Amino acid sequence: MHRRKFVLSIALTGALAATHGMPALAQVGEQPIRIVFPFTAGGSGDALSRLIADKMRAGLKAPVIVENRTGAGGRLGVQAVKNAAPDGMTLLLVPIAPVAVYQHVYKSLDYDPFTDLQPVAQLGTFDFGIAVGPHVPAKTLKELVAWAKANPKEANYGTPAAGTLPHFLGALFGQRAGLDFRHIAYKGSAAALTDMIGGQIPIVVTTNSDLVEMHKGGRIRVLATSDAQRSQFLPDIPTFREAGYDLQATGWYGVFAPAKTPPDVIEKLNKVIVEAVKAPDVRERLLAFGLQPTGTSAAELAVIMKRDSAFWAPAVKASGFTPEN
């Protein structure tokens, strides 16, 4: 179908839906809805994208595919969606960083997430933890701070990579705790945790999903988690606030459309995505990925996006991180 005729068919479908109560996008023919996931295939984010695509396919009775548009830390995928037609046929499924953090990291972006994208729905949240290895005597976060101040040359923390949310969160915690907290970047959480268990580094900050099994197995000790409430995966561990530090941070995955996508299309997409997230089988899979299912309205995601962008700005600054490209 030629592009002009295709866009016209979408407009007519929306008009019919408004008249007859039919789901918009349910009669779009054979051209698939594309969900752009801006990172490589194989990880939990990619699996989440394909899970949501499957449910949308059933809910809309239309073809839905996932496209891995990789490169530039997710920025190329965001740009692809920014430049797509605002007809509801191209969506972005993305973690928080490219849409709420990168504007504080990069001096210039080829997109503005607040003006070039339209929030559709948040899918789920994840939080972070700070853990110590068996060679560190601290049993609480305050004890860890006291130990780090008494042993400043050893006050190092590892994260999965430089320029990640754990890196920024660790820097912000160090600032608020009055520590000279030095960052050590690894290639993934597994390498950092291996060195922590072996005594090469004392502390790791990463997502809770990477800490749970080792904590339960007694190989490491998680001292605090970052959400407002205790993690359901680590209910025995206090939050940063409970441990005496006013710090709260979560990550999330969300779905976005190009700016100027019609409100009725956003509404229909939100409905089918939220229904997908709340389905028992999807909820189970999200929990297995370490995500707490949410399923927000488009308006709620817009508020979350602005709030979290404001939170991460000073964290990025505290880290001193400068990207190479």
Side-chain angles (χ1 to χ4, degrees):
M1 185 181 294
H2 293 299
R3 188 71 189 171
R4 188 177 300 171
K5 291 182 179 178
F6 177 69
V7 173
L8 178 60
S9 73
I10 292 297
L12 290 173
T13 298
L16 287 170
T19 303
H20 301 293
M22 295 169 58
L25 306 174
Q27 300 177 6
V28 296
E30 292 303 316
Q31 184 164 337
I33 297 170
R34 289 188 306 142
I35 296 178
V36 174
F37 180 66
F39 298 97
T40 57
S44 58
D46 178 68
L48 171 63
S49 301
R50 296 178 191 281
L51 185 63
I52 295 300
D54 287 344
K55 288 293 185 180
M56 289 181 65
R57 190 177 302 121
L60 294 171
K61 296 180 173 58
V64 183
I65 63 170
V66 174
E67 178 183 322
N68 297 94
R69 183 71 69 92
T70 62
R75 286 171 282 158
L76 293 186
V78 178
Q79 291 168 24
V81 175
K82 165 197 167 181
N83 295 328
D87 54 14
M89 300 304 293
T90 303
L91 303 174
L92 175 71
L93 193 154
V94 67
I96 177 178
V99 292
V101 182
Y102 279 4
Q103 58 267 48
H104 309 302
V105 175
Y106 297 95
K107 292 182 178 179
S108 62
L109 285 176
D110 291 332
Y111 61 88
D112 182 334
F114 294 103
T115 59
D116 293 330
L117 298 174
Q118 177 73 29
V120 178
Q122 187 191 73
L123 304 176
T125 63
F126 58 91
D127 54 356
F128 309 92
I130 183 168
V132 296
H135 302 86
V136 176
K139 300 296 191 298
T140 67
L141 198 57
K142 285 193 176 295
E143 288 180 3
L144 176 63
V145 170
W147 175 87
K149 289 181 176 179
N151 300 274
K153 292 183 179 180
E154 298 181 51
N156 306 317
Y157 72 101
T159 70
T164 58
L165 297 190
H167 175 191
F168 301 145
L169 181 63
L172 190 59
F173 169 68
Q175 184 184 71
R176 294 189 179 182
L179 297 176
D180 182 15
F181 218 19
R182 291 179 298 279
H183 176 244
I184 301 175
Y186 283 82
K187 293 183 177 180
S189 293
L193 291 167
T194 297
D195 271 9
M196 185 174 72
I197 292 170
Q200 282 76 34
I201 58 171
I203 303 160
V204 164
V205 179
T206 189
T207 57
N208 282 334
S209 58
D210 288 333
L211 300 173
V212 171
E213 294 306 317
M214 287 188 177
H215 173 80
K216 290 182 177 178
R219 302 178 68 191
I220 65 174
R221 290 191 304 279
V222 179
L223 301 184
T225 60
S226 68
D227 205 348
Q229 294 82 35
R230 291 193 180 198
S231 168
Q232 71 176 75
F233 307 107
L234 292 165
D236 57 324
I237 304 302
T239 66
F240 276 96
R241 284 180 172 171
E242 287 178 318
Y245 297 90
D246 187 17
L247 192 60
Q248 176 191 337
T250 56
W252 42 262
Y253 282 86
V255 178
F256 295 82
K260 298 183 181 179
T261 300
D264 63 321
V265 174
I266 295 293
E267 183 180 352
K268 300 300 181 183
L269 289 167
N270 175 269
K271 182 175 184 295
V272 74
I273 290 170
V274 170
E275 287 176 352
V277 171
K278 294 186 182 300
D281 58 330
V282 174
R283 177 180 175 82
E284 183 178 347
R285 290 288 301 279
L286 264 61
L287 290 171
F289 296 151
L291 292 173
Q292 178 61 50
T294 52
T296 69
S297 69
E300 287 170 332
L301 177 53
V303 171
I304 291 167
M305 186 178 169
K306 290 180 180 179
R307 177 201 70 195
D308 286 358
S309 178
F311 169 81
W312 288 106
V316 172
K317 184 176 181 180
S319 75
F321 174 71
T322 301
E324 294 181 0
N325 54 54

